Amino acid sequence: MSQQGYVATPPYSQAQAGMGGYSAGFGNPPPQSHYGAYGSPPQGYSAPPTGVLKPPASSSSGMPPPPVSSQYGANIQQNGAHPHSFPPPVASAPSMSPYGQPPQSAFHSMAQAPPPTQQLTNQMSAMNIGGYGTLDGSPMSGPYGAQMAGPQMAGPQSGAFPGGFPGGPAQMAGPPQKKLDPDSIPGTTQVIEDDQAKRGGQVYVTNIRGQVPPLVTTDFTVQDQGNASPRFMRCTTYSFPSTADLAKQCKVPLAAIIKPFANVPKNETPLYIVNHGEAGPIRCNRCKAYMCPYMQFMEGGRRYQCGFCSCINEVPVQYFQHLDHMGRRMDLYERPELSLGSYEFIATLDYCKNNKPPNPPAYIFMIDVSYNNIKSGLVKLICEELKTLLDRLPKEEGAETSAIKVGFVTYNKILHFYNVKSALAQPQMMVVSDVAEMFVPLLDGFLVNFQESRAVINNLLDQIPDMFAETNESETVFAPVIQAGLEALKAAECSGKLFIFQSSIPTAEAPGKLKNRDDKKLVGTEKEKTLFQPQRGVYEQLTKDCVAQGCCVDLFLFPNQYVDIATMGDVPSHTGGSIYKYSNFQVEMNGQQFLSDLRRDVEKSIGFDAIMRVRTGTGFRATDFFGAIYMNNTTDVEMAAVDCDKAVTVEFKHDDTLSEETGAVMQCALLYTTIGGQRRLRIHNLSLNCSSQLSELYKSCETDALINFFAKSAYRAMLNQPLKTVREILVNQTAHMLACYRKNCASPSAASQLILPDAMKVFPVYMNSLLKTPTLVGSTELSTDDRAFHRLLVNAMGVEETQVLLYPRLIPLHTMDVSSEAIPAPVRCSEERLSESGIFLLENGLSMFLWLGQACPPDLIQNLFNVPSLGITNVFQPTSLPVLDNAHSRKIHSIISSISQQRATSMKLLIVKQKDRSEMLFRQHLVEDKGLHGGASYMDFLCYVHREIRQLLT
């Protein structure tokens, strides 16, 4: 079984010191301790075990492997045939790397300064980029043609790209070089388009073990027939290696990304609710797994064998059912838990705290009324919005009104509680100024039903902005605010959510007081990690207490300067909460964005006081968990709340050999309280294949899920290791995964060819983009808060969110068909795709830009902005696009609105004109280009990874 992935060849069949744009020092293999997952013991690069897939010399179709230069003319082969016609590099004065420090490490220097263009071109232009084979070696529909551009300059000036390697050649000998066409290296947009064309609009039926779902970017409908929908669970590979040795050898992480509350589209069936009455759900006696389609009934239906631990269990009398001639229960299709991958059980009192049914949750709105928030108009905006928003609190399926209770607190350095009992004519305010010993001054009348107390609440919301209009108080507290909300929920014996609207770092004398510890001098040093570690103490205890009570904290920040997000975001990010940040908030600029976020945050589907457990079949187990979660022990994932946007990434490790026959099964069970106060169990089951052939693993990989795992594990590792080490680990593991494929799965071919597995051919683009994220890039130009904020956001993201964040959509709008419903096809995320006469929309789930080329047609500008030309600058509000009555304007607004509906947070539109200063913000999202704050272009990174792979293979 031989496979050909994506193929490419640079001219040097043997790596030479100092060639290819990297210094001689690059030649040594990196220290082995960096391979492998974070913190795992060092392993060398092991040879395949005997008996594992030695690829035959010819491919499975019986054809010999494609000749090395099948795609190119003879002259290219000639370039490749004289690798030694280039003189060795001439040493000149050693150049410094662009940011003033000498290059410190192989990858870091490469990350900050790519090699001289000329050598890169030489290296890439003779890369033989054949068609990407599918896994059986047959070429896919048409290779990426590698059209060559015209000849390029003979050689760069010495040191044009400082830091690449000492000196650089003064002049390259040899014939003029040809420039590689960027279209000839794998592109994400193409992969997304191909998958949409192949699987878009189809029904994906989940009745087959280990099948790979469509990409997250593809539109498809799911029909549950025994495995959880990919909306709830996705895996890094759908075929696990059968032994720990194979897993170690290929270095592909085995993980699932679980979004237990994911939104289900209207055309798909919502989860069925199963009620077994007093008896409660049926569970395996030994491993406690819940009844599911993987249980095997026997002895005429009197017993069943657990699909996870193989224990034989008695079937309870009330659950008995006869079996048909196939050994299946007669009621198979009447019971969701026997025929579906996802369903819910009504939980009995045994699953409730103190064995009594829970109360419905409460939402407490806690508004910082210090000088900044009053002056900016924020307090008035929040109060006005709440009058209508509270009508839209989430409610149980079929319920008339929401069961959620609401309460209100305002604060600066003291706290004000409000009694809004429906019997009162006026709300009453109670002040607590002793913030060190926080208590709730009233029980009755603080948490109320909005419908009953509407008049009093509206009265209060009218009064708050006036009450504090003259305030001069600029100091605030923070920990006592969380403590107050927590105490209120404890007193009411319910779970709930605190909505905290805070403008500044808490500097008032109180528990949890923070000091400014932002220090740019730490960037790039061993101590940089301390910038992202939360300050310990009060907040650690608060997190623990909040989780125990089911108190989730959502934080809306409106900072004008450093607020220590690493610490302020610590409680939200461990209680299943969300963090929103609006820097330099102005009502007219950010008001709409904030209100959209607040509305969605209040209305979204959510469960409280949740505990999640992931059970697996024998041979492997869940070992690590990443997300907005709290872990008290090694198995229980605790979440004060879990909503439709939160995903938990779970890593698995072998503890024995897996059977290829039974495959690998997993069950995620989530116990939670609904918004109506009912205790339920939500179950998601998934079965994967197992194989002793690594080729099966690579064939079933999912790049988008892999990069989600790498992002979260790197963002955790950076709390304990220098960023430089974290970046090196990521690059090494990338090279390792691809080298293992090359060694064990691909058809034999020249060492100089770059061969990528078909399912991972764009993995290097995503990995390079991850290395350039603000969090990992480590530049003093980036704000510490922004980097910490990005880190906390990604930690809770699902596959869909990390995919678009790491490869934004760049959509050309000047060529679109205004009569069509569809969003135009995105182009590759690179400056080369922009055109002076064009208009492009870029979005990554967090930001949205409208880029206007200098030579944009006047009629288009008139249609969009109602001005004749781009020159009339004062008309441009960088954040507002007028709604005009013409086809172009309507179409663009409809595109922006349909993109916004797909995303978890509201994106403020920023309009940037080519060559304006604001264009820098836009350019940092063009992830195929060289990073603005350091970081390689995609092309350079591919070359670098290719060298690393060859190093591993030799």
Side-chain angles (χ1 to χ4, degrees):
M1 160 86 180
S2 97
Q3 303 151 17
Q4 199 66 20
Y6 154 75
V7 186
T9 8
Y12 319 113
S13 43
Q14 234 27 120
Q16 298 171 345
M19 287 303 272
Y22 299 103
S23 64
F26 263 53
N28 318 326
Q32 301 219 314
S33 62
H34 287 333
Y35 294 154
Y38 301 96
S40 67
Q43 296 120 4
Y45 185 74
S46 47
T50 44
V52 173
L53 194 69
K54 290 272 167 99
S58 69
S59 63
S60 56
S61 53
M63 299 289 288
V68 169
S69 78
S70 57
Q71 294 272 285
Y72 289 7
N75 63 335
I76 307 291
Q77 186 49 35
Q78 199 176 341
N79 283 349
H82 299 286
H84 302 298
S85 59
F86 305 125
V90 181
S92 64
S95 56
M96 295 295 278
S97 65
Y99 289 97
Q101 316 93 359
Q104 282 126 1
S105 77
F107 184 68
H108 198 68
S109 59
M110 171 265 166
Q112 302 244 328
T117 339
Q118 182 58 56
Q119 288 182 299
L120 187 61
T121 307
N122 300 343
Q123 190 175 359
M124 291 296 285
S125 65
M127 267 195 176
N128 170 339
I129 305 195
Y132 312 116
T134 46
L135 277 141
D136 57 358
S138 55
M140 277 167 64
S141 55
Y144 279 65
Q147 302 85 13
M148 307 302 272
Q152 217 203 331
M153 286 168 23
Q157 292 71 34
S158 174
F161 286 100
F165 64 145
Q171 198 68 33
M172 288 295 204
Q177 296 302 318
K178 302 232 174 162
K179 189 169 174 232
L180 186 81
D181 175 29
D183 275 340
S184 58
I185 56 178
T188 302
T189 46
Q190 193 57 52
V191 168
I192 289 172
E193 255 174 68
D194 293 347
D195 196 70
Q196 177 64 36
K198 192 165 127 204
R199 306 182 75 172
Q202 298 185 1
V203 175
Y204 173 73
V205 183
T206 70
N207 57 353
I208 300 168
R209 182 177 88 192
Q211 64 177 335
V212 182
L215 296 180
V216 281
T217 43
T218 299
D219 293 315
F220 60 99
T221 305
V222 181
Q223 191 182 351
D224 183 343
Q225 287 194 6
N227 283 296
S229 154
R231 303 193 201 289
F232 297 122
M233 291 176 93
R234 281 184 174 268
C235 293
T236 51
T237 174
Y238 294 84
S239 180
F240 275 14
S242 49
T243 66
D245 285 349
L246 278 176
K248 218 173 255 173
Q249 191 188 330
C250 70
K251 294 273 188 296
V252 175
L254 308 177
I257 294 91
I258 305 173
K259 213 186 219 184
F261 262 77
N263 279 331
V264 172
K266 291 195 168 44
N267 59 348
E268 290 176 19
T269 321
L271 297 194
Y272 285 98
I273 298 170
V274 179
N275 190 350
H276 284 319
E278 299 281 298
I282 313 287
R283 303 176 68 174
C284 167
N285 287 329
R286 186 197 290 158
C287 71
K288 299 289 181 248
Y290 293 86
M291 182 51 69
C292 70
Y294 316 141
M295 305 296 190
Q296 201 60 53
F297 287 86
M298 47 177 62
E299 295 182 27
R302 285 190 301 280
R303 292 183 168 175
Y304 68 93
Q305 182 171 24
C306 173
F308 297 89
C309 69
S310 305
C311 171
I312 308 276
N313 294 272
E314 298 285 331
V315 173
V317 180
Q318 76 280 7
Y319 198 69
F320 174 78
Q321 178 59 264
H322 292 286
L323 308 184
D324 66 10
H325 66 289
M326 304 277 289
R328 292 180 311 199
R329 282 176 59 120
M330 305 291 268
D331 61 357
L332 178 72
Y333 293 109
E334 292 151 38
R335 291 194 176 271
E337 74 272 24
L338 299 179
S339 52
L340 299 178
S342 300
Y343 41 86
E344 293 202 313
F345 289 118
I346 302 274
T348 54
L349 290 179
D350 305 346
Y351 294 90
C352 303
K353 270 188 191 151
N354 310 327
N355 284 22
K356 60 182 211 194
N359 290 314
Y363 282 5
I364 305 177
F365 297 88
M366 317 186 87
I367 306 168
D368 161 2
V369 289
S370 63
Y371 179 74
N372 277 350
N373 279 357
I374 294 288
K375 190 185 66 169
S376 69
L378 175 70
V379 172
K380 193 168 175 50
L381 188 71
I382 294 170
C383 291
E384 282 304 311
E385 177 62 31
L386 287 178
K387 290 181 197 170
T388 51
L389 182 55
L390 294 178
D391 268 325
R392 302 206 295 277
L393 289 169
K395 49 179 190 271
E396 284 281 23
E397 217 39 50
E400 289 272 305
T401 60
S402 173
I404 295 174
K405 292 212 156 86
V406 292
F408 304 88
V409 172
T410 55
Y411 66 95
N412 35 49
K413 60 185 200 191
I414 58 177
L415 278 76
H416 323 106
F417 294 80
Y418 297 94
N419 182 347
V420 283
K421 207 162 142 182
S422 56
L424 296 173
Q426 282 283 335
Q428 293 169 347
M429 176 202 235
M430 296 187 170
V431 178
V432 176
S433 49
D434 181 3
V435 287
E437 295 292 325
M438 187 41 66
F439 68 99
V440 179
L442 72 162
L443 286 180
D444 192 26
F446 178 63
L447 293 177
V448 298
N449 177 310
F450 174 63
Q451 302 302 339
E452 291 168 14
S453 293
R454 179 193 295 269
V456 193
I457 290 173
N458 283 347
N459 192 333
L460 170 69
L461 294 171
D462 281 334
Q463 287 180 33
I464 289 175
D466 301 337
M467 239 184 315
F468 299 98
E470 301 304 312
T471 186
N472 289 322
E473 185 55 73
S474 58
E475 285 198 309
T476 56
V477 295
F478 182 58
V481 180
I482 299 176
Q483 187 75 49
L486 173 63
E487 295 302 332
L489 295 178
K490 273 188 189 163
E493 295 187 353
C494 67
S495 51
K497 185 192 265 201
L498 313 181
F499 295 80
I500 303 182
F501 305 91
Q502 171 105 9
S503 65
S504 58
I505 189 165
T507 52
E509 273 315 319
K513 172 184 174 176
L514 297 177
K515 54 181 192 299
N516 185 337
R517 57 184 184 126
D518 189 14
D519 185 357
K520 289 281 162 70
K521 290 198 285 295
L522 298 181
V523 174
T525 70
E526 290 281 313
K527 287 194 169 157
E528 182 172 4
K529 56 178 182 267
T530 60
L531 295 173
F532 302 101
Q533 295 165 352
Q535 297 183 38
R536 293 280 168 227
V538 183
Y539 293 104
E540 216 170 354
Q541 188 57 44
L542 265 180
T543 296
K544 214 181 215 146
D545 296 345
C546 282
V547 171
Q549 186 57 38
C551 168
C552 163
V553 179
D554 275 2
L555 180 59
F556 292 80
L557 282 168
F558 305 88
N560 295 331
Q561 56 208 36
Y562 175 77
V563 289
D564 193 357
I565 285 186
T567 303
M568 291 189 76
D570 194 42
V571 179
S573 64
H574 284 96
T575 56
S578 308
I579 305 166
Y580 301 89
K581 173 165 155 297
Y582 313 91
S583 299
N584 305 316
F585 180 83
Q586 290 172 300
V587 169
E588 50 288 346
M589 299 285 275
N590 321 65
Q592 277 320 110
Q593 181 195 9
F594 159 62
L595 290 179
S596 307
D597 282 336
L598 177 60
R599 284 168 198 152
R600 191 168 186 282
D601 199 52
V602 167
E603 294 170 27
K604 65 184 169 190
S605 58
I606 187 168
F608 288 93
D609 201 8
I611 186 158
M612 181 175 106
R613 196 125 191 216
V614 178
R615 292 182 172 83
T616 55
T618 44
F620 74 115
R621 63 196 162 86
T623 55
D624 230 333
F625 301 85
F626 306 86
I629 56 173
Y630 180 76
M631 307 251 347
N632 216 358
N633 54 36
T634 52
T635 52
D636 296 330
V637 178
E638 297 182 60
M639 293 170 280
V642 54
D643 64 45
C644 54
D645 301 321
K646 300 290 181 293
V648 180
T649 299
V650 184
E651 186 178 12
F652 301 102
K653 291 263 181 353
H654 285 74
D655 42 24
D656 205 349
T657 302
L658 297 174
S659 136
E660 297 195 34
E661 204 176 314
T662 56
V665 291
M666 56 185 80
Q667 179 179 78
C668 160
L670 179 86
L671 174 65
Y672 72 100
T673 301
T674 67
I675 43 186
Q678 191 181 50
R679 206 71 177 138
R680 282 196 205 156
L681 283 149
R682 180 171 283 218
I683 312 291
H684 297 299
N685 303 290
L686 190 60
S687 60
L688 309 177
N689 287 331
C690 295
S691 174
S692 55
Q693 305 287 340
L694 283 175
S695 54
E696 287 301 312
L697 172 137
Y698 282 103
K699 194 193 291 189
S700 315
C701 270
E702 185 179 318
T703 290
D704 298 333
L706 274 169
I707 204 68
N708 176 285
F709 172 83
F710 279 116
K712 290 186 181 186
S713 54
Y715 282 8
R716 177 185 294 175
M718 63 183 275
L719 291 179
N720 308 311
Q721 298 182 38
L723 277 180
K724 181 175 152 241
T725 311
V726 174
R727 286 191 296 257
E728 280 170 7
I729 292 170
L730 288 171
V731 180
N732 285 330
Q733 199 161 350
T734 302
H736 235 107
M737 295 192 311
L738 299 174
C740 177
Y741 171 79
R742 173 67 194 264
K743 185 170 186 171
N744 299 293
C745 310
S747 328
S749 55
S752 52
Q753 282 192 330
L754 172 62
I755 299 180
L756 304 171
D758 197 58
M760 285 169 77
K761 66 186 176 211
V762 291
F763 181 73
V765 189
Y766 285 106
M767 179 52 83
N768 186 41
S769 179
L770 171 60
L771 291 161
K772 292 189 287 190
T773 53
T775 311
L776 285 182
V777 84
S779 154
T780 50
E781 292 167 38
L782 296 163
S783 97
T784 305
D785 269 347
D786 282 347
R787 297 175 67 199
F789 178 60
H790 189 94
R791 190 185 154 270
L792 294 175
L793 281 183
V794 169
N795 194 34
M797 282 183 178
V799 178
E800 204 170 343
E801 292 82 11
T802 46
Q803 185 278 325
V804 74
L805 181 68
L806 294 171
Y807 200 93
R809 281 204 282 188
L810 182 61
I811 302 169
L813 298 179
H814 48 286
T815 50
M816 65 185 177
D817 173 6
V818 287
S819 58
S820 136
E821 288 286 295
I823 295 179
V827 294
R828 290 176 75 145
C829 222
S830 162
E831 190 182 346
E832 294 187 349
R833 307 293 151 155
L834 302 173
S835 60
E836 291 211 336
S837 58
I839 293 186
F840 291 81
L841 187 73
L842 181 141
E843 66 98 10
N844 68 354
L846 299 178
S847 320
M848 188 184 272
F849 297 89
L850 189 65
W851 182 89
L852 310 171
Q854 278 176 313
C856 206
D859 56 329
L860 199 49
I861 293 296
Q862 182 72 50
N863 279 342
L864 294 184
F865 297 100
N866 213 9
V867 293
S869 81
L870 277 180
I872 308 179
T873 42
N874 56 357
V875 180
F876 272 95
Q877 279 207 325
T879 57
S880 70
L881 186 65
V883 180
L884 303 172
D885 190 16
N886 64 64
H888 260 113
S889 182
R890 279 192 295 269
K891 174 71 181 166
I892 286 192
H893 279 285
S894 109
I895 289 174
I896 290 174
S897 130
S898 70
I899 289 174
S900 303
Q901 280 163 12
Q902 296 169 6
R903 304 290 172 229
T905 49
S906 160
M907 296 177 279
K908 182 172 77 172
L909 178 69
L910 205 61
I911 297 168
V912 297
K913 291 188 286 185
Q914 187 179 4
K915 305 239 164 45
D916 261 12
R917 275 184 59 196
S918 59
E919 201 194 12
M920 293 294 275
L921 292 169
F922 165 81
R923 284 184 182 270
Q924 64 191 12
H925 297 294
L926 299 175
V927 296
E928 291 201 14
D929 302 340
K930 191 173 168 238
L932 291 186
H933 303 291
S937 71
Y938 171 32
M939 189 89 87
D940 298 356
F941 182 69
L942 209 53
C943 286
Y944 180 74
V945 167
H946 184 206
R947 280 183 50 106
E948 292 290 292
I949 292 171
R950 289 170 56 189
Q951 201 102 51
L952 287 170
L953 294 176
T954 51

